[in-house]
Amino acid sequence: MSNQSQIPVVVNGAMGRMGCEIVKAIAAADDMKLVGAIDRKPEAVGQDIGEIAGCGPLEVPVTMDLEATLVMAQSEGNAVMVDVTHPAKIYEQVRAAIAYGVRPVVGTTGLTPEQIIQLAEFAEKASVGCLIIPNFAIGVILMQQAALKAAEYFDHVEIIELHHNRKADAPSGTAVKTAQMLQEVKPSFNPPQVKETETLPGARGGTTPEGINIHSVRLPGLVAHQEIMFGAPGQVYTLRHDAMDRVCFMPGVLLCVRKILPLKSLLYGLDKLL
Amino acid sequence: MSNQSQIPVVVNGAMGRMGCEIVKAIAAADDMKLVGAIDRKPEAVGQDIGEIAGCGPLEVPVTMDLEATLVMAQSEGNAVMVDVTHPAKIYEQVRAAIAYGVRPVVGTTGLTPEQIIQLAEFAEKASVGCLIIPNFAIGVILMQQAALKAAEYFDHVEIIELHHNRKADAPSGTAVKTAQMLQEVKPSFNPPQVKETETLPGARGGTTPEGINIHSVRLPGLVAHQEIMFGAPGQVYTLRHDAMDRVCFMPGVLLCVRKILPLKSLLYGLDKLL
Amino acid sequence: MSNQSQIPVVVNGAMGRMGCEIVKAIAAADDMKLVGAIDRKPEAVGQDIGEIAGCGPLEVPVTMDLEATLVMAQSEGNAVMVDVTHPAKIYEQVRAAIAYGVRPVVGTTGLTPEQIIQLAEFAEKASVGCLIIPNFAIGVILMQQAALKAAEYFDHVEIIELHHNRKADAPSGTAVKTAQMLQEVKPSFNPPQVKETETLPGARGGTTPEGINIHSVRLPGLVAHQEIMFGAPGQVYTLRHDAMDRVCFMPGVLLCVRKILPLKSLLYGLDKLL
Amino acid sequence: MSNQSQIPVVVNGAMGRMGCEIVKAIAAADDMKLVGAIDRKPEAVGQDIGEIAGCGPLEVPVTMDLEATLVMAQSEGNAVMVDVTHPAKIYEQVRAAIAYGVRPVVGTTGLTPEQIIQLAEFAEKASVGCLIIPNFAIGVILMQQAALKAAEYFDHVEIIELHHNRKADAPSGTAVKTAQMLQEVKPSFNPPQVKETETLPGARGGTTPEGINIHSVRLPGLVAHQEIMFGAPGQVYTLRHDAMDRVCFMPGVLLCVRKILPLKSLLYGLDKLL
């Protein structure tokens, strides 16, 4: 039974790397209590998720049974489910959580626009808060919001994102998303001062429809970094975020668990909560 | 006679480095017209300020007569005076401008709090807009605003400011001001994780009353740079501004000239206009 | 029995974090074979060090018996001992290794100058190579060597080192060492251009006897970083090293194991091998 | 007549921006004396080059007569000509200087390999020192030399060069040259860890034949900057040069004037003198 003032939380996908980190973060938060840990590994069923995550026993056994866990969580009152499973199953799981009145905090970029609209309608009808969060890193969201403000005053901007060399795709989703967000402020950036020529194709980076150049650096030793550089005559204004470890997502996850309680509908993106 | 749609502007201190830059910026702005250039150099009286500033003839002769210039400017309607003279004379000059209905845009950090209060009362009574702008660099103000937002979510922050080695004082006024602003968000920063010891006194920088460490780097080759670094487990969020040339202040000056027109009272700081 | 072309290696302190990393690096190196794993944990004796380090079974059991391991290693011919134990015991252990003809590669800053001189004499007499390596990070040594070269042409330099906020001492040993090295090139740096004043004590950092300012930044999210900035009129030349993980020391460890074989005496510092 | 211990120097192209900077640097150097200033502007002939360059009168009138100036300089003994004119005329001028025994220091990238070979033969035969210096920035050369050393130990490297947006070509000559130099150390860099895909063409930059990715950033506010990033597991080593003003080339120019005296043949590149 949870302490009156603690938010009961279920983690779906609890045995993944992100799931384990979330289990530890919730265990360390005074105002939350882990009440369920779901994962699809039959061999782990019944084991203490705290032991698996490496934070000592939490008396919460791993289970594969989503529905039973939701029923139990609901009975605790004001429960939240943090879902960090694979996109394929998320839509159904989130519907189930809403149906049981357990508020879903979903960390995924894998839902289609149609699915998001349907979930929004479903959450609205049920008056249950629901958060779809493509990126839990508060620092990244702050950087994007600061960039939106800067774009009102600067006409020139380029993005440099730097990742380890096991990342196969370029540019990063965050860099593309950042460029798209800037378009809300101005339809296009980087009006040319001279006719540019590339003697080495690609040197000037990839250019988005907004005219923003994105440069993707890949090196071992790097983790996940992004720089947004704004330029004007005589000055450069640079925003940079360095993510060294997935523990950096935890303040965003905890913020979502706290802020979802009074919500009665779906919100998309951590920026809505900052 | 100025074009109907152009704002008539007087520059006080027009022959200084900053004044010349402003003369050029106004000459290049379609929606403004330079109508007066005041400076206290008897030998320059009568010379074309455009020639002196290096942007070609503007048919505006340098004068030492503030009052006559204000009278003339007022007759043009909706006039603005940009004042970049030394602090000692500014208070009287700004009062004079307000008295003549010419809106003052003042770039100085040299007014006392009492003087600012008196000017605010005087502007209010006269229903004339007045702007006191300690820093015209839009990029610096954006950086400070972004830092204020970040301080809501980060408990740890240090400031590194880097300047040429002819700068005698440390830390820079902007760094100190930034630290003071952050105190509005939280009373203190950087709760210690361990007991720190300095084997070389000063290594950890200067510590403000808010507990923010400021580090001042001085090297030839540097111009004027500031970094604000926020840290949390697994992530670092950095804001940086590089000012290479005083031309970087011009967008801020022009913004002030445009935004002062509808004002009826005194505002302090460029942040009020962003 | 080791492959003819493989260097037999003993790791002393194999169960520590650094030791485990070294065990994995040696297991992954085609030209080396782990033949011994020493640690002072009775409960671990007999367990496979490969399982403990997390790289799968290596058929090398943990032992507490240094001498027996040295005898066995010696019998393999051309053996090397990597010692990453605590400084208190290192002197005796290194003497023992030299006595048995097993070449020691020692990662420590904890030996006194007298101890180093004695070990050098002992190694010389025995004609056995010995490496005392205060820092295995090749990148840091390259940075210091590049700084030595730059110091011939630049008179102004400051050092910024940035670490996580669990580091208690400031400045870092590497920063102090770097400043000392630069003194070999010039007796003093940073001739003043103006009379400096600190309105916030410590803002200009700690100043070494060479006149080099060192700034120590401490924030959660940082790992271990150092910047050396050289300035001259119109230019800045910056060297930076970012260490994100102790795996960065492994190329230096492996280099030492390979380069120690032909040596007949003691060398101090990785720079002697680059 | 020059002081016995001063090197007599002629500047060819003295009225250009670079030429004026060199005139000022020579005037400020105790061990040099400006004895000639050549430029092809008839209207300036006879004017004092010191007045034109902005360092006060030097009693050296501008002339268009190269030969007469070389004859005069030769008579001073041990004379040097710094040539910063356009590439089209340089070959002939350098031959003339060598013929008159005036040592040429030539700042150009515009000579063909054949021209350089011919000048080398001519200088050799005449036993007159000659320096062809594509880049006078000592900091850039130091960065390239440090990169050559680092390339021995790192297999992964990318180059980011950042310039003002009036620069039309990308990548910069210095970035391309740097990549070519690294090939001397290793035939190829950046062995792939994964199969990379670009969802935005060019995001991964331009790739040189050596497999080095070059990224060219163009923004107003930037001047001329280059970063060379080396990566390995757990670490990143970065070399960066920021050139803010052409005054940064002067130490390299003065170094050449001093070091050319004992030379008896042609050398290419400032790196030969460091």
Side-chain angles (χ1 to χ4, degrees):
Chain A
M1 196 179 69
S2 75
N3 177 318
Q4 281 292 42
S5 61
Q6 286 181 313
I7 309 167
V9 183
V10 170
V11 177
N12 194 8
M15 288 178 63
R17 288 183 180 180
M18 188 72 173
C20 280
E21 207 64 67
I22 294 172
V23 164
K24 287 192 282 185
I26 291 169
D30 288 342
D31 60 341
M32 299 179 196
K33 182 183 170 66
L34 187 78
V35 298
I38 306 165
D39 212 296
R40 291 191 293 167
K41 298 207 175 59
E43 70 278 16
V45 168
Q47 291 183 33
D48 189 313
I49 187 65
E51 298 281 12
I52 292 169
C55 60
L58 295 175
E59 290 176 32
V60 177
V62 174
T63 175
M64 294 174 66
D65 190 338
L66 175 67
E67 283 207 36
T69 308
L70 291 172
V71 169
M72 175 273 295
Q74 185 196 25
S75 72
E76 303 261 357
N78 285 323
V80 175
M81 175 178 82
V82 181
D83 193 322
V84 286
T85 56
H86 283 290
K89 291 284 177 109
I90 278 184
Y91 178 79
E92 289 306 327
Q93 293 170 169
V94 171
R95 275 191 79 103
I98 294 173
Y100 283 100
V102 177
R103 297 150 185 84
V105 172
V106 189
T108 188
T109 55
L111 291 167
T112 66
E114 292 73 31
Q115 288 179 315
I116 293 170
I117 290 169
Q118 286 168 16
L119 289 176
E121 290 171 356
F122 195 65
E124 184 89 38
K125 227 176 286 177
S127 280
V128 170
C130 177
L131 291 169
I132 312 289
I133 308 295
N135 193 333
F136 279 118
I138 290 179
V140 169
I141 309 303
L142 290 172
M143 174 174 62
Q144 289 173 331
Q145 291 184 334
L148 276 176
K149 187 72 188 170
E152 294 176 30
Y153 299 95
F154 285 87
D155 294 333
H156 296 83
V157 58
E158 303 208 1
I159 298 173
I160 306 172
E161 53 93 349
L162 312 96
H163 285 82
H164 54 82
N165 66 335
R166 297 179 312 280
K167 182 172 178 62
D169 56 312
S172 70
T174 300
V176 172
K177 172 74 181 165
T178 303
Q180 286 168 349
M181 289 171 71
L182 295 184
Q183 198 184 24
E184 295 167 24
V185 180
K186 277 185 189 148
S188 80
F189 289 87
N190 298 330
Q193 301 299 300
V194 292
K195 184 163 168 38
E196 291 193 353
T197 57
E198 274 181 346
T199 56
L200 196 63
R204 288 287 288 117
T207 309
T208 70
E210 301 80 33
I212 298 175
N213 301 55
I214 302 183
H215 309 271
S216 301
V217 178
R218 297 289 176 269
L219 285 172
L222 291 170
V223 188
H225 319 262
Q226 180 171 305
E227 256 184 45
I228 310 174
M229 293 183 77
F230 292 91
Q235 71 182 316
V236 176
Y237 175 39
T238 306
L239 306 166
R240 179 176 175 120
H241 186 263
D242 298 274
M244 313 294 199
D245 189 292
R246 68 175 62 80
V247 72
C248 78
F249 300 122
M250 294 309 111
V253 171
L254 299 185
L255 185 80
C256 287
V257 170
R258 288 173 188 129
K259 294 238 175 169
I260 201 174
L261 292 188
L263 297 183
K264 300 289 180 201
S265 59
L266 182 147
L267 291 182
Y268 184 90
L270 192 57
D271 55 307
K272 304 299 189 308
L273 303 180
L274 297 188
Chain B
M1 195 181 69
S2 75
N3 177 321
Q4 282 291 45
S5 62
Q6 286 182 313
I7 309 167
V9 184
V10 170
V11 176
N12 193 9
M15 287 179 63
R17 289 183 178 180
M18 188 72 172
C20 280
E21 207 64 66
I22 294 172
V23 164
K24 287 192 281 185
I26 290 168
D30 288 343
D31 60 341
M32 299 178 195
K33 182 182 170 68
L34 188 77
V35 298
I38 306 164
D39 211 296
R40 292 189 293 166
K41 300 207 173 58
E43 70 278 15
V45 168
Q47 291 183 33
D48 188 313
I49 188 65
E51 300 280 12
I52 292 169
C55 60
L58 295 175
E59 291 174 32
V60 177
V62 173
T63 174
M64 293 175 68
D65 191 338
L66 175 69
E67 283 207 36
T69 308
L70 290 172
V71 169
M72 175 273 295
Q74 183 195 27
S75 74
E76 301 261 358
N78 285 324
V80 175
M81 174 178 82
V82 181
D83 192 321
V84 285
T85 56
H86 283 291
K89 291 283 177 109
I90 278 184
Y91 178 78
E92 288 307 326
Q93 293 170 167
V94 170
R95 276 192 79 102
I98 293 172
Y100 283 100
V102 176
R103 298 149 185 86
V105 172
V106 190
T108 188
T109 55
L111 292 168
T112 65
E114 293 71 33
Q115 288 179 315
I116 294 170
I117 289 168
Q118 286 168 15
L119 289 176
E121 289 170 357
F122 195 65
E124 184 89 36
K125 229 177 283 178
S127 281
V128 170
C130 177
L131 291 170
I132 312 290
I133 308 293
N135 193 333
F136 279 118
I138 291 179
V140 170
I141 309 304
L142 291 172
M143 175 174 62
Q144 288 174 331
Q145 291 185 334
L148 276 177
K149 187 72 187 171
E152 295 178 29
Y153 299 96
F154 286 86
D155 294 332
H156 294 83
V157 58
E158 303 207 1
I159 298 174
I160 306 171
E161 54 93 347
L162 312 96
H163 284 83
H164 53 82
N165 66 336
R166 298 180 311 281
K167 183 172 178 64
D169 56 313
S172 70
T174 300
V176 172
K177 172 75 181 164
T178 303
Q180 286 168 348
M181 289 171 72
L182 295 183
Q183 198 184 23
E184 296 168 24
V185 180
K186 278 184 188 148
S188 81
F189 288 87
N190 299 330
Q193 302 298 301
V194 292
K195 184 163 168 36
E196 291 193 353
T197 58
E198 273 181 345
T199 56
L200 196 64
R204 289 287 288 117
T207 308
T208 70
E210 301 80 33
I212 298 175
N213 301 56
I214 302 183
H215 310 270
S216 301
V217 179
R218 297 288 177 269
L219 286 172
L222 291 170
V223 189
H225 320 262
Q226 181 171 303
E227 256 184 46
I228 311 173
M229 294 184 75
F230 292 92
Q235 71 182 316
V236 176
Y237 174 39
T238 307
L239 306 166
R240 180 176 174 119
H241 186 265
D242 298 274
M244 314 294 200
D245 188 293
R246 67 176 63 80
V247 72
C248 78
F249 300 122
M250 294 309 111
V253 171
L254 300 185
L255 184 80
C256 287
V257 171
R258 287 171 189 132
K259 295 238 174 170
I260 202 174
L261 291 189
L263 297 181
K264 301 288 178 203
S265 59
L266 181 147
L267 291 182
Y268 185 89
L270 192 57
D271 55 308
K272 303 298 189 309
L273 303 179
L274 298 189
Chain C
M1 197 181 67
S2 75
N3 178 319
Q4 281 293 44
S5 61
Q6 286 182 313
I7 308 167
V9 184
V10 170
V11 177
N12 193 10
M15 288 177 64
R17 288 183 179 180
M18 188 71 172
C20 281
E21 207 63 67
I22 293 172
V23 164
K24 287 192 281 184
I26 290 169
D30 288 343
D31 60 342
M32 297 178 197
K33 181 182 170 68
L34 188 77
V35 298
I38 306 164
D39 213 295
R40 294 190 292 166
K41 297 208 176 59
E43 69 280 15
V45 168
Q47 292 184 32
D48 189 311
I49 188 64
E51 300 280 12
I52 292 168
C55 60
L58 294 175
E59 291 176 31
V60 176
V62 173
T63 175
M64 292 174 68
D65 191 339
L66 174 68
E67 283 206 37
T69 307
L70 290 172
V71 169
M72 176 273 295
Q74 184 196 26
S75 72
E76 302 259 359
N78 285 323
V80 175
M81 175 178 82
V82 181
D83 192 320
V84 286
T85 55
H86 283 291
K89 291 282 177 112
I90 277 185
Y91 178 78
E92 289 306 326
Q93 294 170 167
V94 170
R95 274 191 80 102
I98 293 172
Y100 284 100
V102 176
R103 298 149 184 84
V105 172
V106 190
T108 187
T109 55
L111 292 168
T112 65
E114 292 72 31
Q115 289 179 315
I116 293 171
I117 288 169
Q118 287 168 15
L119 289 176
E121 289 170 358
F122 195 65
E124 184 88 36
K125 228 176 285 178
S127 281
V128 170
C130 177
L131 291 170
I132 313 289
I133 307 295
N135 193 332
F136 280 118
I138 290 179
V140 169
I141 309 302
L142 290 172
M143 174 174 62
Q144 288 174 332
Q145 292 185 333
L148 274 178
K149 186 73 188 168
E152 295 177 29
Y153 299 95
F154 285 86
D155 294 332
H156 294 82
V157 58
E158 303 209 359
I159 298 173
I160 307 171
E161 53 92 351
L162 312 95
H163 285 83
H164 53 82
N165 66 335
R166 297 179 312 281
K167 182 171 178 62
D169 55 314
S172 70
T174 300
V176 172
K177 170 75 180 163
T178 302
Q180 286 168 348
M181 290 172 70
L182 295 183
Q183 199 185 22
E184 297 167 24
V185 181
K186 276 184 191 148
S188 80
F189 288 87
N190 299 329
Q193 302 298 301
V194 292
K195 186 165 165 37
E196 291 193 353
T197 57
E198 274 181 345
T199 56
L200 196 63
R204 288 288 287 118
T207 308
T208 71
E210 301 80 32
I212 298 175
N213 302 56
I214 303 183
H215 310 271
S216 301
V217 178
R218 298 288 176 268
L219 285 172
L222 291 170
V223 189
H225 319 262
Q226 181 171 304
E227 256 185 45
I228 309 173
M229 295 184 76
F230 292 92
Q235 71 182 316
V236 176
Y237 175 39
T238 307
L239 305 166
R240 181 178 173 117
H241 186 263
D242 298 274
M244 314 293 200
D245 188 293
R246 69 175 61 81
V247 72
C248 78
F249 299 122
M250 294 309 111
V253 171
L254 299 185
L255 184 80
C256 287
V257 171
R258 287 172 189 131
K259 296 238 174 170
I260 201 173
L261 292 189
L263 297 182
K264 300 289 178 202
S265 59
L266 182 147
L267 291 181
Y268 185 89
L270 192 56
D271 54 308
K272 303 298 188 308
L273 304 179
L274 298 189
Chain D
M1 199 180 67
S2 73
N3 178 319
Q4 280 292 43
S5 62
Q6 286 182 312
I7 308 166
V9 184
V10 171
V11 177
N12 193 10
M15 289 177 63
R17 289 182 179 180
M18 187 74 172
C20 281
E21 207 65 64
I22 293 171
V23 164
K24 287 192 281 184
I26 290 168
D30 288 342
D31 60 342
M32 298 178 198
K33 181 181 169 68
L34 189 76
V35 298
I38 306 164
D39 212 296
R40 293 190 291 167
K41 298 209 175 58
E43 71 277 15
V45 168
Q47 292 184 32
D48 188 312
I49 187 63
E51 299 281 12
I52 292 168
C55 60
L58 296 173
E59 290 175 33
V60 177
V62 174
T63 174
M64 292 174 68
D65 191 338
L66 175 68
E67 283 206 36
T69 307
L70 290 172
V71 169
M72 176 273 295
Q74 185 196 23
S75 72
E76 302 260 359
N78 285 324
V80 176
M81 175 180 81
V82 181
D83 193 320
V84 286
T85 56
H86 283 290
K89 291 282 177 112
I90 278 185
Y91 178 79
E92 289 306 327
Q93 294 170 168
V94 171
R95 275 191 80 101
I98 294 172
Y100 283 99
V102 176
R103 299 150 183 83
V105 172
V106 190
T108 186
T109 55
L111 292 168
T112 66
E114 292 72 30
Q115 288 179 315
I116 294 171
I117 288 168
Q118 287 170 15
L119 288 176
E121 289 171 357
F122 195 64
E124 185 88 35
K125 228 175 285 178
S127 281
V128 171
C130 177
L131 290 170
I132 313 289
I133 308 294
N135 193 333
F136 279 117
I138 290 180
V140 169
I141 309 303
L142 290 172
M143 174 174 63
Q144 288 174 332
Q145 291 185 335
L148 275 177
K149 186 72 187 169
E152 295 177 29
Y153 299 95
F154 285 87
D155 295 331
H156 294 84
V157 57
E158 304 208 0
I159 298 173
I160 306 172
E161 54 92 351
L162 312 94
H163 284 83
H164 53 82
N165 66 335
R166 297 178 313 281
K167 182 172 178 62
D169 56 313
S172 70
T174 300
V176 171
K177 171 74 180 165
T178 303
Q180 285 168 349
M181 290 172 70
L182 295 184
Q183 198 186 22
E184 296 168 23
V185 181
K186 277 185 189 148
S188 80
F189 288 87
N190 298 331
Q193 301 298 300
V194 292
K195 186 165 167 35
E196 291 193 353
T197 57
E198 273 180 344
T199 56
L200 196 64
R204 287 288 287 118
T207 308
T208 69
E210 301 80 33
I212 298 175
N213 302 57
I214 302 183
H215 310 270
S216 301
V217 177
R218 297 289 176 267
L219 285 172
L222 291 170
V223 189
H225 319 263
Q226 180 172 305
E227 255 184 45
I228 311 174
M229 294 183 76
F230 292 92
Q235 70 182 315
V236 176
Y237 175 39
T238 306
L239 305 166
R240 180 176 174 119
H241 187 262
D242 298 274
M244 314 294 201
D245 188 292
R246 68 175 62 81
V247 73
C248 78
F249 299 122
M250 294 310 110
V253 172
L254 299 185
L255 184 79
C256 287
V257 170
R258 289 173 189 131
K259 295 239 175 171
I260 201 173
L261 292 188
L263 297 182
K264 300 290 179 200
S265 59
L266 182 146
L267 291 182
Y268 185 90
L270 191 57
D271 54 309
K272 304 299 189 307
L273 304 179
L274 297 188

